[in-house]
Amino acid sequence: MSQESPSPSATHTSMSRQIPKGIWALGLVSLFMDISSEMIHALLPVYLVTALGASALAVGVLEGVAEATASVTKVFSGALSDWLGQRKVLAVTGYGLAALVKPLFPLANSVGLVFVARFVDRIGKGIRGAPRDALIADLSPPEMRGASFGLRQSLDTVGAFLGPLLAIGLMWLTADQYKTVFWIASIPAFFAVMVLLVAVKEPAHSFTQRKVRMPLRRSELRYLGPNYWWIVVIATVFTLARFSEAFLVLKAQDSGLAVMFIPLVLVIMSFTYSLSAYPVGVLADRTDRPTLLAIGLILLVVADLVLARSSGLVGVGLGVALWGLHMGFTQGLLATLVAETAPAELRGTAFGMFNLVTGLALLAASTIAGALWDMAGSANTFLAGAVFAIVALALVIIQRRRLRERGDCD
């Protein structure tokens, strides 16, 4: 009698139990910090425009500069983590700075002060980002790397939709008192730091790894190899299509969504993102990665077209859901590709360089999107995004062979 193969759900359950506890803990850290951040970010674009009188271009520049700042910081923190051979201390520093700066948002009474708060918050993100991703790669077994990154991404985005839901409830309870919501949002950030301090342990490093003395020297960067740099190129073009989610919020506002319900935009996006990220991560360990990446880009094209043509809330909601789905298909997968193409001793540098280049692309994308929004309207903004996504899709098709290669850098 032949033995029945386990069901997909049973396989996912078994795999999730095998994922190291440190990765679960890092996922919870991301969950708490994202609850805190998204309670603020879900309201911040509308707060800037309606309460502080900022323009859509100013919102785009603010978001782009903030994310670019995080990306520039990541390259140095990632390289530093390789040089020190220590990831956790930098992760704690970054999460701690982000927690400490959260109270600046309710204290800010001008666009300039909000800019400062957002800027410092993103420095914290930059300090923690590359070391945390390298730590996940260090902790995860090679055969479960896609699932590990997918799990962390899913827990992160659970926080990303719980945060806006809490913001909605608190806006209703406080009769649209933005600053009260911003104060309450500071609390989960400190929980994130506590979990990181207590539950995440630095893994023992292999003595077979080459000692890295100057990670950012050209001679060291050559070890990253052509496959890694092609992933960076594809991700950069893709990022030009994926401008700040602040424009999804502004699109919903233009379509008539009441201020109290504005955070629903990020709830919908994060919900579909969180549902798809872990299953896609599991698939990435077992199936053709270029196909999964191509599906994600196609979803982004469709999302942009829906958002460009929609003026009602139903169409906008569909476009936002598709946007979240494309994130689930691409973000964890790109992180997995970076982890597998980079040597273990240069993972921090690899994630840092990846985030630097894509962060600068996000700055350009958000600035262009803000200018297009002010000059040509929301429809042309999303159509431009669709064009960049199609170019990125073409690159994925051309470089399918490189994206299929799975390195063993452990």
Side-chain angles (χ1 to χ4, degrees):
M1 182 180 295
S2 61
Q3 188 176 3
E4 292 184 4
S5 59
S7 67
S9 61
T11 301
H12 288 180
T13 301
S14 175
M15 181 169 290
S16 66
R17 288 174 179 169
Q18 297 172 29
I19 291 175
K21 293 179 180 179
I23 291 173
W24 279 98
L26 285 168
L28 290 174
V29 170
S30 293
L31 185 151
F32 284 125
M33 186 57 74
D34 244 40
I35 288 175
S36 173
S37 296
E38 295 306 328
M39 285 178 70
I40 295 172
H41 299 164
L43 298 171
L44 198 58
V46 177
Y47 178 68
L48 284 166
V49 172
T50 60
L52 299 181
S55 65
L57 176 59
V59 173
V61 171
L62 170 61
E63 291 296 317
V65 169
E67 295 302 331
T69 299
S71 300
V72 171
T73 309
K74 282 177 184 178
V75 72
F76 294 107
S77 66
L80 184 60
S81 76
D82 288 334
W83 182 69
L84 293 172
Q86 297 288 323
R87 319 283 195 197
K88 180 178 174 178
V89 64
L90 292 168
V92 170
T93 301
Y95 278 106
L97 181 60
L100 290 172
V101 81
K102 286 294 191 289
L104 285 182
F105 287 99
L107 292 172
N109 290 312
S110 68
V111 175
L113 287 175
V114 171
F115 188 94
V116 170
R118 189 87 166 95
F119 183 81
V120 177
D121 179 65
R122 294 300 89 179
I123 288 177
K125 180 179 180 181
I127 292 172
R128 71 183 184 250
R132 181 206 60 211
D133 289 342
L135 185 57
I136 292 170
D138 292 345
L139 287 168
S140 60
E143 70 277 6
M144 299 177 64
R145 194 156 283 144
S148 296
F149 276 103
L151 176 65
R152 207 283 309 176
Q153 204 77 60
S154 283
L155 289 172
D156 180 88
T157 47
V158 167
F161 72 76
L162 287 179
L165 280 176
L166 288 169
I168 291 171
L170 289 168
M171 286 290 280
W172 177 73
L173 287 171
T174 63
D176 295 346
Q177 294 297 311
Y178 289 96
K179 292 189 176 185
T180 301
V181 179
F182 292 165
W183 277 117
I184 297 172
S186 302
I187 298 171
F190 289 94
F191 279 110
V193 178
M194 290 173 60
V195 173
L196 179 58
L197 285 169
V198 173
V200 178
K201 308 297 181 185
E202 187 86 37
H205 291 282
S206 171
F207 288 104
T208 62
Q209 291 181 13
R210 184 176 58 88
K211 175 65 177 175
V212 178
R213 299 193 181 278
M214 296 290 289
L216 294 178
R217 289 179 62 180
R218 182 179 297 181
S219 59
E220 290 288 348
L221 294 178
R222 287 175 182 168
Y223 282 99
L224 294 175
N227 287 4
Y228 165 81
W229 290 110
W230 268 111
I231 292 165
V232 172
V233 170
I234 291 170
T236 300
V237 178
F238 166 61
T239 303
L240 291 172
R242 191 187 61 79
F243 41 77
S244 170
E245 287 85 11
F247 293 97
L248 302 180
V249 173
L250 294 178
K251 176 69 176 181
Q253 184 191 29
D254 284 353
S255 300
L257 188 63
V259 170
M260 186 180 76
F261 296 110
I262 286 292
L264 277 175
V265 174
L266 297 184
V267 171
I268 294 170
M269 187 201 77
S270 299
F271 182 71
T272 56
Y273 187 175
S274 66
L275 283 181
S276 56
Y278 177 62
V280 170
V282 173
L283 284 173
D285 291 326
R286 304 179 177 192
T287 191
D288 187 61
R289 290 173 177 175
T291 299
L292 293 175
L293 198 54
I295 291 171
L297 287 163
I298 292 169
L299 287 168
L300 178 57
V301 173
V302 175
D304 279 327
L305 294 176
V306 170
L307 289 164
R309 296 183 60 86
S310 297
S311 58
L313 292 177
V314 174
V316 171
L318 175 61
V320 169
L322 289 168
W323 188 287
L325 199 58
H326 105 266
M327 295 283 283
F329 268 83
T330 58
Q331 298 307 291
L333 180 54
L334 287 169
T336 303
L337 290 169
V338 170
E340 293 208 333
T341 53
E345 69 273 12
L346 283 173
R347 279 188 184 134
T349 304
F351 278 108
M353 292 297 299
F354 176 85
N355 285 293
L356 170 65
V357 177
T358 56
L360 293 175
L362 184 59
L363 170 59
S366 296
T367 303
I368 292 168
L372 278 173
W373 193 288
D374 284 339
M375 293 187 298
S378 62
N380 288 312
T381 302
F382 288 108
L383 287 174
V387 170
F388 280 114
I390 290 169
V391 175
L393 178 60
L395 286 174
V396 169
I397 294 171
I398 293 169
Q399 296 295 327
R400 288 179 67 88
R401 182 184 61 80
R402 291 184 185 275
L403 295 175
R404 283 196 183 104
E405 293 177 6
R406 305 192 182 196
D408 184 9
C409 303
D410 297 279

